[in-house]
Amino acid sequence: MNRRGFLGLASALALWTLPAAADPVQKPFRIYMALWRGWEDAAQGFKDYFTNQNIPVELIIRDAGQDRSKLPEFVAEAKQLGVDLVFTWGTTVTVDMLGTYDKVDPAKHITDIPAVFAIVSQPDGAKVVPDLSSSRRNIAGTSYLVPMETQVNLLQSYRPVRRLGMVYNPLEKNSLVAADELRALGRRDGFELVVAPVDVVDGKPVVASIAPKVAGLKQAGVDFLYIPPDTFLNVNRDILTGAALAEKIPSFAAAENPVLFSKAMFGGVYRYYTVGQLTAYKAEQILVHRKAPADLPIEPPKRLSIIINMPVVRALEIYPPMGLLGLAEVVDTPEEPRQ
Amino acid sequence: MRLDSSRSLLIRLLMLAVLVLVPPMGLASFMALDRFEQGMNPELDRKAAAVGRDLVVQVERAVAYGIPVEKLVGVDEFFAQVLSGNPEIRYLGITGTDGTILFLRGALGGQLADHYREQAGSLSDKDGATLQIGDFVDLALPVKGRSGLVGSVHVGFDQGYISSRLFSIFYDIAVVLGASLIVAFEILLFVVVFNVSGPMKLVAEVIGQGRKGDFSHMPGIRADDEVGHFARVFNASMRKVDSAYRGLMAYIDEVRTGHFDRGAAERAGDIADRVKFLFRFDASGAPGFLREKLSSDVRLPLFLFVFAEEISRSFLPLFAQSLPRRMTLLTPELMIALPIAVFMAGIALGSLWGGAVTERLGSRRVFQIGLVPAVLGCLMSGLSQSVIELSLWRGITGLGYALVTVACQGYISKATNDGNRATGLGSYVGAVLSAALCGTAIGGVMADRIGFAPSFFVSAGLVVVSGLLLGYLLEKVPTSPDLPPAAEGDPKGLSRIFLNWRFTVLVLFAAIPAKIALTGYFFFLVPLVLWGTEHTLPEIARIMVLYPLVMLVVSYYATRFADQWGWRVGQIAVGGILGGVGILLAALFDGTWPLMLGIVFLGAAHGMSASPQLALIPDICWVECQHYGRTQVLALLRTLERIGSVVGPLLAAVFWPLWGAEGAIVAIGSVVLGMAAVFAMLAGRYGDGPHLESEEGAQ
Amino acid sequence: MSWSLSRKVSAALIAILASTMLLTALFGFYRFEDEVSSLVRSRYSFVAFTIKKRVEDSLNLGFALRQLRQVQDAIELEKTRDEQIVGIEIYDSRGEILFNSDRGRIGASVPDEWLQPLAEPTGQPFALMDEDSHAVGLPLVNSLGKVEGAVVLVYPAGYVERELGGALWRLAGQMAGIVVVFAVLTILAASVALSPVRRRLAAMEAALNTALGDTPAADGSAAAPEVNAEFDGNFGEFVAKAREALEHIKLSTEEVERLDRLA
């Protein structure tokens, strides 16, 4: 099984060699990309950046397919190939391949080759770096979660909220953390958080309980629904956002999918694509401009993507302020004429 | 001899100057403002159109997404942002198709509602319409939705905005006008003194002699004006009397030598003796011309010279800051302080040398010699490419400055006697301070317009003009070789003066801290701090002008006060403490006000204590003044206090990197205040101890 | 030409008036020019800013700068809206022009000094100047905070001279007129202000002439009192003393003559 998986991966091995624009004899940089769950937007943004900037790179792409046991093989392979840089996707890949700052083992981890990481929820919390200003070792990276305070400010800028509702899966730790943060910010900003965890039966969240929970929030008088970056809710986003729309509750999503592909009213996110580009920018600083990775701060993209779902807005008749509208990307149905 | 009280003549002429300068300037400014406003209007229209178009695009985008115009959200904040970014726009609004105001920010709806309703019908599909509503100009642009017109965006601007923007021009105009009035005063003073009161003073002297029967002198006046004409008539009368006398004497001589009768000859001799007894005529055959040096002769050239030198006052440290600093041995702050310190050192050296040289060569030569480094220094300061170069040339300028001012002082003290020397020196101080006033103010306005380096060239030009003027004036007066220095005593062993603790305390704790405050705080820190807090050059200059202004006023009254009450030590002590406290105000409050107050305090402090410092010397150094000469002792004080001038900017530059700009001000203020406090404490004991006279015996 | 006192005074005053007027007119003009050009610049900055906003919104969606074809249309539209705009161009961080209101320039390179403002991390607007044109520029920043290029709007320099030259020359003419009018007034006023001086000098001259003239002294003494009253005592005493001297010498001469004739 293990071996077959590796063979399958080996056959999927692909090489991208981009032509060097400025200097035809310039050797492309060799970058080892270790992914967790296949090729997605962050990887695409990473790759596109080099294309757009005319930087010749050779990408060696490996997908762990959410299988942690493959990661030691990746470490060995990257070392053996002697690549110029390693890209790691997600917290698991990053921690297993690069180690935490207090436990680095040159035998098990990549130490001599510079590395950049992306899509690590909490680079400092996961001990990848001691703090966000510098890794103090041979790695650099980006963060991708919008700080809760920024999310709340954005939400408030659409419409001041007095009672914020939140439906979540009590089994997911991320959501619990989000609820705590929201409660703290609510004390500061003067709003009350009303939580409605979905029912759990046999250790599994019950999909059918989502709509009643939303209705319950409506009864409790919430004026905005917060949709946390919760895997269970992401899967069942149509049910959740549909229920919110039916109850005429405007909804804010911390992830892009509920807004882009469902009926959440609006959201504020760092797009994976942009995060991938920013990670490539860090790689450029290391490879092309010869900067030490420790000198590069761990930071999110400069610009937040604000996404407004116009059909939902029209249905609710809760219109976005002009300033926000000017900054936002608008999702609209094709039959509606767009400017 | 007063023709007309020349003071009232001067006042009449000054009123004339104000009358001639102020109304045309006011009229011209008013016309210019009007024209400028008209000139800016079309451009405002275009700006309003550009802003309006962008707003329409954004509103139409929202409308296209299906948001009804009247239900737009957050328009107020949205408008507020545009308004704050474009201050010339007065208000922004959105109206519906019928002209009702849906949103409006920056104006009151009541003013506009009626106009909008009237306009509503005519706007329909046009590209836009302009409407004059009171002082506002309103541009209306249609907003179109899918089904046609849905409303309009209004951009309004206020015509008064331009006036308010242009109003700051008036500050510049006021500064130039004020300076012009001072220059006019100086020039008129010169014209009156040179053409009227000076010659008439000579006439008065001759008349004074004549009324006692002394016809030996005539006023030596060459002029082709009314005074000259009068002088010719006057001299003709003098010559007439004189020639009658000569005729008589010749006749008598003839009679005495030719007459055979001894008795007749003797009687003729008696007549001659009687005439000679009653009247006095010049022995040499014709009345001699009386000419006289006037202390006021040098006032105008001195004014111009100091004016030229003060032009760079408000921006010298900024100029130094803008130059590349190649040498990295010193901190950047010390490099900026260097030109001021070296300039002060140049002045110190120049005064030491100039004092000695004036006695030998005479004022005019020293003045001419001093002009060379002064002109060269100004010119080359402007051409300097590095701080070191600039410092070098400032040093040379300082040398020239010292030579010229020493020469002028020498001239004045030669032209005056003990009775009117105070008036002469008062005129000197007045010229220097009013020149500082004009130079600083004009310098800021000028440097803002033409740049630092060209301003130095203007300085050089003015120095040349003042040199030419003085050369011409001094030529008119016979350069009676300056008398060899009155045997004033032996300067050797002067260093023993430091044994006089009163002198040492005065130098260390009053004279030196005053100079540290002047150069370290006022010359160095103030321009840099003001520049750092986003003040323009003319503003800096306007603030710095406060110092000479306050000093001028305070010193006028302080001198009178000191003469009347003889409380010199107290004035020095209070002045020192006042200066230190003023500087320290910056630590207590934020903003520009404490700095301005500090400058006012400093001006008051120095105006209060400067002349008592000098006047105190004969009191506390009575013995030394007798022994070495008062001039020598005063010169020593002036030289020693310049140590403070040199140290001031350097000290401030050392403090700056340690505690920042504000910290440096506080540090300098503390030093000044601390030293002043020491002086105040010790000065309380000035009256104690062995009585002054009895110290002579102790020596 | 002789320089009378009032001429000297009026010449000095007129010179001061003229130079003050000139100086303030120059300062005022330059200040006005600053004001107008900052207004012009602010308008073009605003236009450039709307383009920047549009481009950055697109960059944020992940498009590469050189792919934004619709930007070309936008800048051509802005150019047609204002005939004074010389050109609008967008170039990348290496200086290659990607879009230009003049399509022929696309692909060319911008001058090196246009790239310098992009090196600064601030992303601040910048202004560029040469002899006959000004430019306002805004760096284009992508969502990573990285400067991708810049949009620059070029407009002609010398707005004030071109648009307002005539009016300003008329204004200068009016100011010159004011100076002339006040110069004439100055001459008149100076002459009035100095007339007492002139009168007294003339009176003293007359007194001298009468007292010491060829006319008999008796006439002089008759005329003298009223004139003398105007001076302070000394001049009268002087005149009297001078006449006394003349008379005394005359008498003495007669006395000597008698002695001489006696012989």
Side-chain angles (χ1 to χ4, degrees):
Chain A
M1 171 74 200
N2 223 346
R3 177 160 270 277
R4 253 175 59 204
F6 181 66
L7 282 175
L9 246 174
S11 62
L13 187 148
L15 291 177
W16 268 274
T17 310
L18 299 159
D23 184 2
V25 288
Q26 190 188 335
K27 217 173 111 237
F29 296 109
R30 280 151 51 91
I31 299 175
Y32 189 94
M33 291 179 75
L35 308 178
W36 181 240
R37 51 174 198 225
W39 189 260
E40 45 60 78
D41 270 2
Q44 187 66 41
F46 187 76
K47 182 194 153 215
D48 284 356
Y49 182 85
F50 294 111
T51 317
N52 288 339
Q53 297 294 323
N54 277 336
I55 299 166
V57 289
E58 180 189 323
L59 300 178
I60 300 145
I61 297 159
R62 296 290 181 271
D63 180 12
Q66 305 197 36
D67 180 354
R68 203 167 182 163
S69 62
K70 287 187 183 139
L71 298 175
E73 295 166 26
F74 289 0
V75 172
E77 190 190 16
K79 282 180 178 170
Q80 185 223 322
L81 288 173
V83 293
D84 298 312
L85 182 106
V86 172
F87 168 90
T88 59
W89 192 103
T91 309
T92 313
V93 177
T94 305
V95 169
D96 283 13
M97 287 183 71
L98 307 180
T100 55
Y101 65 86
D102 52 352
K103 272 184 220 145
V104 185
D105 180 355
K108 280 197 275 180
H109 301 129
I110 287 169
T111 49
D112 294 339
I113 306 168
V116 292
F117 61 83
I119 321 293
V120 175
S121 312
Q122 279 155 339
D124 44 352
K127 289 192 172 183
V128 176
V129 294
D131 69 82
L132 297 179
S133 62
S134 166
S135 69
R136 300 200 200 127
R137 52 188 181 130
N138 203 15
I139 65 177
T142 52
S143 55
Y144 80 105
L145 285 186
V146 181
M148 188 56 86
E149 189 180 351
T150 313
Q151 293 186 47
V152 168
N153 290 345
L154 182 62
L155 192 149
Q156 298 266 40
S157 78
Y158 196 111
R159 196 181 197 214
V161 58
R162 286 199 319 280
R163 198 165 276 194
L164 183 65
M166 177 174 167
V167 176
Y168 67 101
N169 175 6
L171 301 179
E172 293 193 33
K173 191 173 166 262
N174 278 346
S175 297
L176 295 169
V177 173
D180 286 343
E181 286 181 335
L182 280 173
R183 236 171 247 122
L185 287 164
R187 274 193 294 277
R188 187 195 73 180
D189 288 359
F191 64 81
E192 181 197 342
L193 182 73
V194 184
V195 290
V198 295
D199 297 341
V200 177
V201 176
D202 300 337
K204 281 193 177 166
V206 179
V207 176
S209 71
I210 294 175
K213 293 291 173 190
V214 174
L217 288 177
K218 177 71 180 175
Q219 297 237 299
V222 303
D223 45 16
F224 230 117
L225 178 70
Y226 179 81
I227 304 174
D230 179 319
T231 314
F232 170 73
L233 294 179
N234 183 28
V235 173
N236 299 294
R237 59 195 177 229
D238 284 352
I239 297 167
L240 176 66
T241 58
L245 186 56
E247 298 287 352
K248 296 254 172 216
I249 307 175
S251 50
F252 174 89
E256 57 196 64
N257 285 345
V259 195
L260 286 177
F261 307 114
S262 192
K263 294 193 185 70
M265 189 181 76
F266 95 120
V269 298
Y270 294 125
R271 294 203 150 176
Y272 275 29
Y273 185 87
T274 313
V275 172
Q277 282 186 308
L278 179 62
T279 313
Y281 171 66
K282 302 273 177 198
E284 181 194 12
Q285 298 292 311
I286 296 166
L287 295 172
V288 181
H289 302 293
R290 301 261 158 229
K291 289 212 178 135
D295 289 345
L296 303 172
I298 287 56
E299 57 190 358
K302 287 279 185 294
R303 202 168 146 166
L304 187 70
S305 285
I306 301 163
I307 311 166
I308 296 181
N309 193 340
M310 220 54 204
V312 179
V313 167
R314 282 194 295 270
L316 292 170
E317 291 191 22
I318 297 169
Y319 300 113
M322 288 295 287
L324 198 62
L325 187 63
L327 295 170
E329 294 159 34
V330 172
V331 179
D332 210 346
T333 41
E335 59 265 34
E336 294 287 343
R338 285 183 56 173
Q339 186 71 19
Chain B
M1 165 88 197
R2 277 150 63 170
L3 261 183
D4 169 30
S5 140
S6 65
R7 184 179 285 270
S8 90
L9 173 65
L10 198 60
I11 288 170
R12 267 211 306 279
L13 290 179
L14 282 180
M15 276 162 51
L16 177 65
V18 172
L19 225 67
V20 160
L21 285 173
V22 175
M25 295 304 299
L27 197 62
S29 309
F30 181 75
M31 279 165 51
L33 195 64
D34 193 49
R35 184 60 50 86
F36 286 174
E37 257 186 55
Q38 285 171 19
M40 279 175 93
N41 273 339
E43 189 47 43
L44 269 185
D45 286 341
R46 293 196 195 116
K47 175 79 191 266
V51 171
R53 271 201 305 271
D54 183 59
L55 293 182
V56 168
V57 166
Q58 303 211 40
V59 173
E60 284 184 347
R61 178 170 179 250
V63 170
Y65 284 136
I67 307 176
V69 162
E70 67 278 6
K71 291 199 174 155
L72 289 171
V73 180
V75 178
D76 226 33
E77 293 80 18
F78 174 59
F79 280 174
Q81 215 179 355
V82 178
L83 287 173
S84 77
N86 300 280
E88 64 280 357
I89 308 284
R90 175 64 191 267
Y91 65 84
L92 295 168
I94 297 176
T95 56
T97 42
D98 59 349
T100 48
I101 295 171
L102 302 174
F103 306 98
L104 183 66
R105 184 165 179 116
L108 294 172
Q111 291 170 279
L112 307 169
D114 294 342
H115 296 277
Y116 286 167
R117 261 194 295 281
E118 269 173 48
Q119 189 190 33
S122 63
L123 198 61
S124 59
D125 269 337
K126 272 194 269 172
D127 280 344
T130 312
L131 201 64
Q132 177 93 33
I133 306 173
D135 265 351
F136 301 149
V137 177
D138 184 284
L139 174 73
L141 293 166
V143 178
K144 288 166 188 148
R146 262 168 296 163
S147 51
L149 193 72
V150 293
S152 33
V153 163
H154 294 263
V155 181
F157 58 86
D158 187 347
Q159 285 182 307
Y161 169 79
I162 309 173
S163 325
S164 71
R165 287 295 296 162
L166 289 174
F167 190 77
S168 60
I169 292 181
F170 280 113
Y171 284 119
D172 289 357
I173 291 180
V175 164
V176 174
L177 187 61
S180 290
L181 282 172
I182 293 176
V183 173
F185 168 76
E186 289 294 335
I187 289 180
L188 286 177
L189 186 69
F190 170 74
V191 166
V192 168
V193 167
F194 190 74
N195 290 298
V196 183
S197 15
M200 290 323 283
K201 206 175 142 211
L202 278 183
V203 171
E205 209 158 301
V206 170
I207 284 174
Q209 293 172 356
R211 90 193 161 93
K212 290 179 212 137
D214 179 354
F215 297 100
S216 60
H217 287 94
M218 294 192 294
I221 298 167
R222 278 172 298 163
D224 48 8
D225 53 19
E226 292 90 332
V227 173
H229 187 263
F230 169 75
R232 278 194 296 282
V233 171
F234 186 84
N235 288 353
S237 310
M238 293 287 289
R239 280 202 193 87
K240 189 169 177 179
V241 178
D242 187 68
S243 64
Y245 167 76
R246 306 273 165 220
L248 173 65
M249 285 303 147
Y251 193 18
I252 288 174
D253 276 355
E254 196 188 304
V255 170
R256 281 169 76 181
T257 48
H259 212 282
F260 53 91
D261 181 355
R262 297 286 303 169
E266 238 167 69
R267 288 212 345 248
D270 287 347
I271 293 172
D273 287 345
R274 192 184 68 219
V275 171
K276 277 182 184 160
F277 173 75
L278 285 173
F279 307 103
R280 215 178 127 227
F281 289 92
D282 192 89
S284 64
F289 284 109
L290 189 69
R291 292 202 175 88
E292 205 182 336
K293 281 183 177 181
L294 285 177
S295 62
S296 46
D297 283 345
V298 286
R299 186 178 167 126
L300 183 62
L302 178 70
F303 173 83
L304 286 177
F305 182 83
V306 177
F307 185 114
E309 290 296 338
E310 291 283 339
I311 282 178
S312 62
R313 170 68 61 237
S314 62
F315 63 79
L316 183 60
L318 308 177
F319 183 52
Q321 200 175 28
S322 72
L323 286 175
R325 294 178 288 264
R326 292 204 194 98
M327 208 170 79
T328 45
L329 225 62
L330 300 173
T331 63
E333 289 81 6
L334 272 171
M335 289 299 275
I336 297 168
L338 204 56
I340 303 178
V342 176
F343 179 71
M344 292 300 159
I347 290 186
L349 277 178
S351 326
L352 272 180
W353 185 50
V357 138
T358 314
E359 303 287 3
R360 256 187 306 125
L361 298 177
S363 312
R364 181 157 170 247
R365 293 285 308 175
V366 175
F367 188 91
Q368 285 167 335
I369 294 171
L371 278 177
V372 176
V375 172
L376 196 70
C378 279
L379 214 59
M380 297 308 291
S381 296
L383 294 173
S384 293
Q385 294 299 322
S386 73
V387 177
I388 296 295
E389 231 178 289
L390 176 68
S391 307
L392 178 76
W393 291 114
R394 289 319 290 165
I396 288 179
T397 316
L399 206 67
Y401 183 90
L403 288 180
V404 168
T405 46
V406 164
C408 285
Q409 283 168 358
Y411 183 88
I412 290 171
S413 67
K414 287 275 154 27
T416 52
N417 50 38
D418 283 337
N420 59 9
R421 181 159 296 137
T423 322
L425 286 173
S427 160
Y428 170 87
V429 172
V432 168
L433 283 179
S434 58
L437 203 70
C438 290
T440 307
I442 291 277
V445 179
M446 187 159 66
D448 182 50
R449 182 44 57 202
I450 64 175
F452 297 139
S455 301
F456 278 110
F457 302 150
V458 173
S459 289
L462 274 172
V463 171
V464 170
V465 170
S466 100
L468 291 176
L469 192 61
L470 200 87
Y472 167 73
L473 290 173
L474 293 189
E475 207 152 15
K476 292 199 76 160
V477 183
T479 44
S480 58
D482 288 326
L483 294 167
E488 272 214 296
D490 183 8
K492 279 192 202 105
L494 189 57
S495 60
R496 289 187 59 188
I497 196 172
F498 291 111
L499 294 176
N500 181 342
W501 69 271
R502 294 186 175 88
F503 179 80
T504 313
V505 163
L506 182 73
V507 168
L508 279 182
F509 297 109
I512 288 183
K515 290 292 173 187
I516 289 179
L518 183 69
T519 60
Y521 170 73
F522 182 63
F523 289 178
F524 175 72
L525 287 172
V526 164
L528 284 172
V529 168
L530 287 175
W531 184 249
T533 48
E534 307 293 314
H535 286 83
T536 63
L537 280 174
E539 281 167 357
I540 297 174
R542 281 201 294 273
I543 293 172
M544 290 185 72
V545 147
L546 287 171
Y547 173 81
L549 193 67
V550 172
M551 190 169 166
L552 200 63
V553 175
V554 172
S555 66
Y556 177 74
Y557 288 105
T559 314
R560 295 182 143 200
F561 184 79
D563 289 347
Q564 227 159 24
W565 297 92
W567 197 53
R568 298 194 176 107
V569 182
Q571 271 182 313
I572 299 171
V574 171
I577 287 170
L578 195 66
V581 168
I583 297 174
L584 282 175
L585 282 177
L588 298 178
F589 308 100
D590 283 337
T592 313
W593 280 105
L595 269 182
M596 288 171 72
L597 266 180
I599 293 169
V600 168
F601 272 49
L602 198 67
H606 290 177
M608 187 183 289
S609 60
S611 67
Q613 265 182 34
L614 298 180
L616 194 61
I617 287 290
D619 290 352
I620 62 169
C621 304
W622 191 80
V623 176
E624 291 83 356
C625 285
Q626 290 295 307
H627 204 283
Y628 310 110
R630 199 170 66 180
T631 329
Q632 294 290 344
V633 176
L634 283 175
L636 182 68
L637 175 70
R638 304 300 298 268
T639 307
L640 289 173
E641 73 177 1
R642 291 206 169 89
I643 295 172
S645 305
V646 177
V647 167
L650 298 177
L651 200 61
V654 169
F655 290 149
W656 188 305
L658 294 178
W659 302 303
E662 208 162 281
I665 292 180
V666 173
I668 284 280
S670 312
V671 168
V672 171
L673 186 61
M675 289 168 97
V678 171
F679 178 80
M681 279 187 292
L682 293 174
R685 301 174 55 86
Y686 262 28
D688 298 357
H691 195 260
L692 291 178
E693 269 83 358
S694 66
E695 272 188 10
E696 195 178 6
Q699 286 241 318
Chain C
M1 186 176 92
S2 75
W3 281 85
S4 68
L5 280 179
S6 69
R7 277 216 188 103
K8 285 177 184 168
V9 168
S10 17
L13 281 176
I14 291 167
I16 293 166
L17 170 63
S19 40
T20 307
M21 190 67 99
L22 193 69
L23 209 60
T24 46
L26 278 180
F27 284 155
F29 170 74
Y30 285 123
R31 188 56 184 269
F32 171 63
E33 202 181 31
D34 279 356
E35 253 345 292
V36 174
S37 26
S38 85
L39 188 58
V40 171
R41 191 169 56 244
S42 88
R43 170 161 62 95
Y44 288 128
S45 300
F46 187 86
V47 172
F49 184 72
T50 59
I51 298 171
K52 169 189 158 90
K53 235 177 6 187
R54 192 184 296 214
V55 171
E56 287 182 352
D57 282 345
S58 305
L59 288 177
N60 198 29
L61 293 174
F63 295 108
L65 184 58
R66 56 177 64 241
Q67 295 168 341
L68 305 176
R69 294 277 160 236
Q70 75 278 18
V71 170
Q72 178 66 27
D73 300 334
I75 61 180
E76 281 175 16
L77 176 69
E78 285 299 342
K79 170 98 166 67
T80 53
R81 273 197 184 132
D82 186 340
E83 74 278 9
Q84 278 182 353
I85 295 177
V86 175
I88 306 173
E89 53 192 43
I90 291 176
Y91 54 91
D92 67 13
S93 53
R94 281 189 290 271
E96 183 192 344
I97 298 174
L98 303 178
F99 308 103
N100 195 321
S101 49
D102 170 11
R103 290 185 180 217
R105 290 269 297 148
I106 294 175
S109 289
V110 296
D112 279 346
E113 63 264 26
W114 288 32
L115 283 176
Q116 279 158 15
L118 304 191
E120 311 220 340
T122 50
Q124 287 295 307
F126 52 92
L128 299 159
M129 264 171 229
D130 63 32
E131 276 162 33
D132 41 34
S133 58
H134 289 177
V136 288
L138 290 162
L140 297 168
V141 183
N142 64 16
S143 47
L144 316 179
K146 183 178 176 241
V147 175
E148 289 253 328
V151 52
V152 162
L153 189 152
V154 184
Y155 60 96
Y159 174 90
V160 172
E161 286 83 355
R162 203 177 54 251
E163 303 268 307
L164 307 169
L168 290 177
W169 277 117
R170 272 199 300 286
L171 182 64
Q174 287 165 340
M175 285 186 169
I178 293 180
V179 170
V180 169
V181 168
F182 275 86
V184 172
L185 282 177
T186 306
I187 292 171
L188 293 176
S191 137
V192 171
L194 285 163
S195 70
V197 174
R198 238 186 350 258
R199 218 170 35 239
R200 268 156 223 226
L201 283 171
M204 288 200 293
E205 280 178 27
L208 276 173
N209 282 334
T210 359
L212 308 177
D214 298 327
T215 42
D219 291 357
S221 56
E226 45 169 327
V227 181
N228 279 355
E230 287 197 33
F231 317 131
D232 47 27
N234 289 350
F235 185 71
E237 288 177 27
F238 168 79
V239 173
K241 196 77 180 178
R243 207 172 60 203
E244 186 195 319
L246 267 183
E247 271 165 28
H248 190 89
I249 290 169
K250 200 173 151 203
L251 289 173
S252 304
T253 310
E254 283 163 8
E255 212 176 323
V256 176
E257 264 170 19
R258 271 198 307 278
L259 281 173
D260 199 12
R261 241 176 283 133
L262 263 172

